[in-house]
Amino acid sequence: MQNRAQWQSRLGFILAATGSAVGLGNVWKFPYITGMNGGGLFVLIYLLCIAGVGLPILAAEVLLGRTTAQSPVGAFRNLSGKGSPWVLVGLLGVITAGTILSYYGVVAGWCLDYILLSVDGRLLGTAPEEIPSLFPELYGDATRNVVWLTIFVAATIWVILGGVRRGVEKASRILMPLLFVMLAVLLVNSFTLPGLGEAVDFLFAPRPENLTPAGVLEALGHSFFSLSVAMGAMLTYGSYLSKSESIPATSLAVGGLDTVISVVACLVLFPIIFSFGMEASSGPGLVFMSIPTALVQLPLGALWSVLFFALLFLAAWSSAISLLEVLVAYGIDEWKLSRRKSTLLFGSVIYLLGIPSALSGSEGFFGKGLQELTGRNWFDWFDYVASNWFLPLGGLGISIFVAWKLEDQLRRTAFTEGTPEAWQARLYAGWLMLLRYLAPVAIVAIFLHVIGVI
Ligand code: PHE
């Protein structure tokens, strides 16, 4: 255990963890669910979910990892004893990471396809009103999806093979600043568009009539996904964190950056949408159908489109890196594999699991077949199960374990280490309250909603 790798610095951890948190969830999903839920109040509720539930769980996860210097399964075993059922929460995390990663790579692949479409002139060569139909065409094209998935999984494996410092941390130190700059350039562009005023109004003026209870629960569920919590990614990254760093401070930095980026992504996208008189509530197609249609009509259109999809790709890649690291760290810690073997093994498993998702838009069994049989294709099933069942279950397990099972002295020391004295008592008490009461109640509400009771 003394040999466990560590981040080179606090910044290294913050950039890697932010890389995990900032992903498709921020730039693709958050804007479209905001659009579907009427903006304004939904954004506010989301911020409350992050502050009241997401962040406390994030800190709890980093604490579990750092205290034990183990990946999820080992962390629970270490603190609760061999053979304890709590170990299952760790195992669920590993399974969730694999489930999410397998379909996440397919969406990342679409970004690569759109970069190519922008570069080779196909996007510019298509009449704007035809551009939305490029997306179903891509989704239905098995070959293109599989090729992109292959490239994406290979790129993720390549980083993880390099290890914690030379792989994950180094990649994050390059990818994250690049992502911030790209986002800033896109933001400046959006600020020059005529739809800016309407977008700001949509995002920040409360319109209570548009919000439903389902929207509130969607905000809560999405806060877990967006912060990468409840499945062991933050736990695993926390296991490489030095004991001298403050858990509340680093968690706040990561959660804060993730949330700011979600809001900025909306400030990039909605002015574009409104400037071209498009619908904010168009759903999942917002980013792959509406946005390219609008972008190509701007001066230097292809360039904006490349920039946007490259940004989305980088965000997805750094998130996928953290998901694969959960599996690989599990193989190293539990099965005593070398990093190389573990990476190749789990990388291959994910690739094989991802293929049915890559085929989900096509006519065959994994797409239309399953859809007709069960109402969802393979891709939709994986997303549904991971987001609606695995993540809330993992979040519930982690919050109850840390808030109710962990010995108080150990928990207090771990939480407050490295934090200025004057802050320690109040921060600790506030965090524990949220984790004890608000988090479990909120998560149970998600379940009741998923099974149709509320
Ligand atoms: N947080 C990532 C996003 O917003 C997704 C993710 C979930 C990554 C869980 C790692 C772990 O897209």
Side-chain angles (χ1 to χ4, degrees):
M1 231 201 281
Q2 308 86 303
N3 292 332
R4 193 164 192 86
Q6 260 190 10
W7 307 108
Q8 204 167 356
S9 68
R10 174 194 311 182
L11 186 68
F13 168 75
I14 292 180
L15 289 177
T18 305
S20 168
V22 174
L24 298 167
N26 305 63
V27 190
W28 175 50
K29 192 156 182 196
F30 183 68
Y32 91 67
I33 58 177
T34 299
M36 291 176 79
N37 285 289
L41 201 55
F42 179 81
V43 176
L44 183 69
I45 302 260
Y46 177 74
L47 298 180
L48 292 175
C49 293
I50 291 274
V53 185
L55 272 179
I57 299 185
L58 171 57
E61 258 196 73
V62 176
L63 185 150
L64 286 175
R66 195 190 51 186
T67 307
T68 57
Q70 287 285 309
S71 47
V73 170
F76 278 95
R77 183 177 343 92
N78 228 303
L79 293 167
S80 64
K82 218 174 167 189
S84 147
W86 285 106
V87 173
L88 293 176
V89 179
L91 200 60
L92 176 69
V94 176
I95 294 171
T96 311
T99 312
I100 296 182
L101 182 54
S102 71
Y103 68 83
Y104 205 80
V106 175
V107 183
W110 297 340
C111 303
L112 292 175
D113 199 275
Y114 271 79
I115 296 176
L116 188 64
L117 285 176
S118 316
V119 174
D120 71 9
R122 267 178 295 164
L123 208 57
L124 282 184
T126 309
E129 60 280 10
E130 300 291 322
I131 287 182
S133 65
L134 293 176
F135 180 66
E137 207 177 284
L138 165 63
Y139 192 33
D141 189 331
T143 319
R144 264 152 92 195
N145 277 288
V146 172
V147 169
W148 293 126
L149 177 71
T150 312
I151 294 176
F152 183 73
V153 173
T156 308
I157 289 180
W158 174 64
V159 172
I160 293 297
L161 279 176
V164 174
R165 275 200 194 182
R166 282 185 312 119
V168 180
E169 184 167 351
K170 195 167 158 204
S172 310
R173 281 178 187 269
I174 301 169
L175 295 182
M176 285 296 106
L178 198 61
L179 189 144
F180 297 147
V181 171
M182 289 161 90
L183 197 62
V185 174
L186 283 158
L187 186 66
V188 170
N189 176 51
S190 285
F191 273 24
T192 65
L193 297 176
L196 177 68
E198 203 182 330
V200 170
D201 181 66
F202 179 76
L203 286 172
F204 300 114
R207 250 170 263 93
E209 66 280 8
N210 289 335
L211 194 72
T212 57
V216 175
L217 293 169
E218 184 160 25
L220 183 62
H222 185 66
S223 72
F224 286 12
F225 185 82
S226 190
L227 289 178
S228 301
V229 296
M231 38 65 67
M234 289 299 174
L235 191 159
T236 305
Y237 275 12
S239 74
Y240 309 130
L241 182 65
S242 141
K243 295 263 194 271
S244 58
E245 300 299 344
S246 154
I247 289 182
T250 44
S251 306
L252 191 67
V254 174
L257 276 169
D258 182 64
T259 309
V260 167
I261 290 186
S262 288
V263 174
V264 171
C266 287
L267 283 171
V268 166
L269 296 181
F270 285 110
I272 301 176
I273 295 289
F274 289 127
S275 298
F276 287 89
M278 293 171 156
E279 277 305 316
S281 58
S282 57
L286 184 84
V287 157
F288 289 101
M289 294 158 96
S290 312
I291 289 294
T293 309
L295 284 180
V296 294
Q297 298 179 57
L298 294 176
L300 299 177
L303 201 72
W304 291 115
S305 167
V306 171
L307 192 63
F308 175 71
F309 287 105
L311 166 87
L312 196 54
F313 175 76
L314 297 187
W317 190 17
S318 54
S319 295
I321 289 170
S322 74
L323 287 162
L324 186 56
E325 180 62 21
V326 173
L327 298 160
V328 170
Y330 168 77
I332 296 175
D333 292 343
E334 298 298 316
W335 298 351
K336 308 291 174 230
L337 300 176
S338 66
R339 173 163 287 271
R340 199 184 152 74
K341 278 205 183 119
S342 188
T343 308
L344 296 178
L345 172 70
F346 286 106
S348 315
V349 170
I350 291 305
Y351 179 59
L352 292 179
L353 263 183
I355 287 188
S357 277
L359 303 179
S360 287
S362 336
E363 295 292 328
F365 173 74
F366 296 113
K368 295 264 155 45
L370 264 181
Q371 174 103 35
E372 268 159 33
L373 224 65
T374 63
R376 286 193 177 88
N377 62 32
W378 180 282
F379 180 107
D380 295 340
W381 267 116
F382 266 50
D383 183 29
Y384 169 78
V385 172
S387 305
N388 291 287
W389 291 97
F390 289 176
L391 282 182
L393 212 56
L396 191 63
I398 289 167
S399 52
I400 292 185
F401 183 77
V402 173
W404 295 96
K405 289 302 240 186
L406 218 55
E407 201 248 317
D408 190 58
Q409 196 48 47
L410 181 142
R411 180 176 55 208
R412 182 187 299 266
T413 315
F415 184 82
T416 50
E417 253 166 350
T419 310
E421 285 261 348
W423 290 83
Q424 290 185 355
R426 248 179 291 162
L427 267 179
Y428 181 69
W431 169 69
L432 199 57
M433 281 286 279
L434 292 171
L435 205 61
R436 280 213 155 137
Y437 303 104
L438 188 62
V441 169
I443 296 172
V444 168
I446 298 190
F447 283 127
L448 292 179
H449 177 66
V450 171
I451 59 176
V453 178
I454 54 174

